[in-house]
Amino acid sequence: MEFDNLHQILRGLYTDMMPLCSNMAAVAKAIAGLGALIFVASRVWQSLARAEEIDVYPLLRPFAIGMCIMFFPLVLGTINGVLSPIVQGTNTMLESQTFDMNNYRKQKDILERESMLRSPETAYLVSNEEFDKQIEAMGWSPEDLVTMTGMYIERGMYSMKKSIRDFFRELLELMFEAASLVIDTIRTFFLVVLSILGPISFAISVWPGFQSTLTQWITRYISVYFWLPVSDLFSTILAKIQVLMIQNDI
């Protein structure tokens, strides 16, 4: 299974878990309602105790938060709609740099092969026809046998070196993609937890002394949402560095 499919599965998991927010909204409404009652009563009592006019505008805050709780899926969808273009943009940048890196890598391999084919001393390392041609041109004298053995050894060493290089290249790419998948998995887990507990956080923020709960939830949600874009940006920079190194070698 490709890593892109796994990322799609994680996005589908996040979407499938969103209905759980509605289940928490009922509990959040009760908490917010009680908190709004205490909040409004305390503000009105303080104004009456100080013989001041009642400021109605701050009293609207609990009702606004209550509306957000009632339509929390819409609120969450709005936040995701604002942030999702950033994720898509960074992913497009990564795909573009990866495509360029693969193209330059293929171009480098072709130029390296052509350069070795132009030299009779190295052509047999990359061409079977040239290798067979040089072997057939030799006789069975001790000197030719030594030369033939050396050619076989050098050709084997070159093939092994190329195989090891390709192996480590694929291994690093696999680890790179696996790290991105791990980050996306942890990110999805935290986003699901924050989304499910979002109505509760909104409700608690109605209570006096817990007003910062709302801003903390929004801050945490945005920061977790940006984990994947930051990872893609880091990957894009590394891919760009590899492109510049390959261009320098070409």
Side-chain angles (χ1 to χ4, degrees), residues 221-233:
Y221 188 88
I222 294 176
S223 63
V224 172
Y225 200 96
F226 280 162
W227 283 3
L228 187 60
V230 171
S231 174
D232 289 342
L233 285 176

Side-chain angles (χ1 to χ4, degrees), residues 3-250:
F3 284 92
D4 292 339
N5 295 334
L6 294 176
H7 286 289
Q8 292 294 335
I9 291 175
L10 290 175
R11 295 187 184 96
L13 173 64
Y14 176 79
T15 304
D16 294 339
M17 296 294 289
M18 286 305 97
L20 296 178
C21 299
S22 301
N23 299 333
M24 298 298 294
V27 180
K29 290 176 185 177
I31 298 175
L34 183 59
L37 179 62
I38 296 176
F39 178 81
V40 173
S42 63
R43 287 299 181 92
V44 172
W45 180 81
Q46 289 177 6
S47 299
L48 293 177
R50 296 171 183 172
E52 299 175 351
E53 295 183 355
I54 299 176
D55 191 0
V56 180
Y57 184 75
L59 302 181
L60 298 178
R61 182 176 182 272
F63 300 99
I65 295 177
M67 294 293 294
C68 292
I69 295 174
M70 293 177 60
F71 302 100
F72 187 77
L74 179 61
V75 174
L76 194 61
T78 302
I79 297 176
N80 293 336
V82 173
L83 300 179
S84 60
I86 300 176
V87 178
Q88 297 173 1
T90 54
N91 186 51
T92 302
M93 293 170 57
L94 176 60
E95 291 179 352
S96 176
Q97 290 300 322
T98 303
F99 180 77
D100 292 341
M101 181 182 65
N102 292 332
N103 285 340
Y104 280 114
R105 183 179 295 166
K106 292 178 182 178
Q107 183 179 355
K108 177 185 176 182
D109 293 339
I110 293 174
L111 293 176
E112 182 180 356
R113 177 181 174 83
E114 292 177 351
S115 176
M116 296 183 70
L117 286 174
R118 286 193 294 267
S119 176
E121 298 179 355
T122 58
Y124 70 93
L125 296 176
V126 295
S127 174
N128 294 330
E129 293 79 5
E130 187 67 24
F131 179 76
D132 295 337
K133 180 180 178 181
Q134 294 189 19
I135 291 296
E136 292 175 356
M138 295 182 183
W140 295 99
S141 63
E143 293 80 4
D144 291 338
L145 292 176
V146 172
T147 303
M148 190 182 304
T149 303
M151 291 176 61
Y152 274 106
I153 294 175
E154 290 180 2
R155 183 177 172 85
M157 292 293 293
Y158 176 80
S159 299
M160 184 176 64
K161 178 182 177 181
K162 189 174 184 301
S163 299
I164 293 175
R165 183 181 61 184
D166 294 340
F167 169 75
F168 278 104
R169 177 188 298 172
E170 294 179 359
L171 179 62
L172 291 176
E173 291 178 354
L174 179 63
M175 294 176 60
F176 202 69
E177 294 178 351
S180 176
L181 180 62
V182 170
I183 292 175
D184 196 11
T185 302
I186 299 175
R187 166 183 174 268
T188 302
F189 169 76
F190 277 105
L191 287 179
V192 169
V193 172
L194 288 171
S195 299
I196 294 175
L197 298 180
I200 303 297
S201 299
F202 275 57
I204 294 176
S205 66
V206 175
W207 289 72
F210 295 93
Q211 290 86 351
S212 61
T213 305
L214 177 60
T215 56
Q216 290 178 0
W217 182 89
I218 296 176
T219 303
R220 180 63 58 85
Y221 188 88
I222 294 176
S223 63
V224 172
Y225 200 96
F226 280 162
W227 283 3
L228 187 60
V230 171
S231 174
D232 289 342
L233 285 176
F234 181 71
S235 302
T236 302
I237 294 174
L238 293 181
K240 184 62 177 180
I241 292 175
Q242 294 185 38
V243 168
L244 295 176
M245 293 175 62
I246 295 174
Q247 288 178 341
N248 187 37
D249 293 338
I250 294 177

